[in-house]
Amino acid sequence: MKNIFSLYKLRMKETIKNAVLVIPAVLLLAFLGIMYSIRPVQVSGSFLISGIFLFVLATYIANSIQEKENDIHEEILLLHSNSSLNYYISREMVLISVILIFAAVLIAYPAIRSLINSSNFTRPMEKPDVIWGGLIVLGNGLCGIAVGDLCHQRIVFTRRYRLTAVFCIIIITICKTPLIHSFKFLTFLNYLLPPVTDGLTMVGNTDYFDGTGSTMIFIHTLIFLVVITILKIKILKFKKYNN
């Protein structure tokens, strides 16, 4: 019987073998090239925009990985796992591992550029900027995998509808703040959608992160991730397999 780490290794090998990360990697390099080609770059803005980019990219990655899952292969993995809990935890570990790598690149790149030449930014980048900005980038990535994997092929059967659902959630999430500002009755969106753009509201016209505010946003992110993950696993257990 396979434990969590054995399942994780098998899933990670399968993910790399399917080459689903090639396009995201290319998009990441293109984003970094375009983002930092115009100088100087605002310190907080670099992390906030990178966070929104990672949210979209993570949603695409999670949705692409689950679309490569094969029912027969998944049933075999579940059959050979110590428990169904190990099986589902291994799925989440693969997604989180991938996003950690992408987030690390998005966080480290501006920090390294600032160390090499601080004139790349509107002001010298400080350690709190990397900590709090990095927390928001990572949080947005986690929100992305939660949204992307929720639109699973066993939850939304038709691919066209899955892509439409993902696209709509992304757009509404990014436009959440102006929508609530224009229509007060949409305040409930703050509780239903991830806090992807809350960092923009927190920073406002300044160029500094608020430690307490960034921490609260990340806590909100973790709550969203846990709730969506539990909901998704319960639905997947109920829906079983397509074949």
Side-chain angles (χ1 to χ4, degrees):
M1 301 297 285
K2 298 185 181 300
N3 57 28
I4 292 176
F5 295 103
S6 297
L7 291 168
Y8 168 75
K9 290 178 182 178
L10 287 172
R11 286 186 172 280
M12 186 58 75
K13 288 181 180 178
E14 192 69 23
T15 299
I16 296 173
K17 179 182 177 181
N18 288 331
V20 296
L21 301 180
V22 173
I23 293 178
V26 172
L27 292 175
L28 176 64
L29 294 176
F31 171 80
L32 291 175
I34 296 172
M35 174 73 180
Y36 296 98
S37 62
I38 302 175
R39 297 181 297 175
V41 182
Q42 190 182 46
V43 173
S44 62
S46 65
F47 287 105
L48 293 172
I49 295 174
S50 294
I52 294 174
F53 168 76
L54 185 59
F55 168 69
V56 177
L57 191 67
T59 304
Y60 171 80
I61 291 172
N63 201 254
S64 298
I65 289 176
Q66 65 84 15
E67 284 198 342
K68 293 293 183 179
E69 291 180 349
N70 178 274
D71 280 354
I72 296 177
H73 183 253
E74 294 299 307
E75 286 180 275
I76 293 174
L77 287 179
L78 182 58
L79 182 65
H80 286 81
S81 63
N82 290 334
S83 68
S84 60
L85 181 61
N86 289 351
Y87 166 80
Y88 286 109
I89 289 178
S90 69
R91 289 188 78 255
E92 303 305 317
M93 288 174 62
V94 169
L95 293 173
I96 292 174
S97 297
V98 171
I99 296 310
L100 283 174
I101 295 172
F102 280 82
V105 174
L106 287 169
I107 296 167
Y109 187 79
I112 294 172
R113 283 183 66 96
S114 178
L115 287 174
I116 295 173
N117 185 359
S118 61
S119 65
N120 288 318
F121 296 89
T122 53
R123 63 174 177 82
M125 185 177 294
E126 302 172 356
K127 187 181 294 185
D129 297 317
V130 179
I131 295 174
W132 303 125
L135 205 62
I136 289 178
V137 171
L138 175 60
N140 284 4
L142 295 176
C143 289
I145 62 174
V147 170
D149 204 38
L150 180 62
C151 297
H152 194 279
Q153 57 183 306
R154 293 199 337 249
I155 297 176
V156 184
F157 299 110
T158 307
R159 187 172 187 272
R160 181 175 67 253
Y161 295 154
R162 285 200 301 275
L163 296 178
T164 301
V166 169
F167 179 78
C168 289
I169 294 174
I170 289 175
I171 295 299
I172 296 174
T173 298
I174 294 176
C175 299
K176 178 184 68 173
T177 301
L179 282 173
I180 293 175
H181 181 74
S182 300
F183 307 98
K184 298 299 182 182
F185 68 91
L186 294 177
T187 305
F188 67 90
L189 292 178
N190 279 323
Y191 305 98
L192 292 181
L193 298 175
V196 173
T197 59
D198 288 18
L200 295 171
T201 304
M202 176 189 67
V203 171
N205 295 324
T206 70
D207 190 21
Y208 292 90
F209 291 104
D210 176 64
T212 302
S214 299
T215 303
M216 294 305 296
I217 291 174
F218 191 70
I219 291 174
H220 185 178
T221 293
L222 293 180
I223 293 173
F224 177 83
L225 176 66
V226 170
V227 171
I228 294 299
T229 300
I230 293 174
L231 175 64
K232 175 189 62 184
I233 290 175
K234 286 186 176 294
I235 296 175
L236 290 178
K237 282 185 175 181
F238 176 74
K239 288 294 187 75
K240 298 299 180 183
Y241 297 95
N242 294 326
N243 61 350

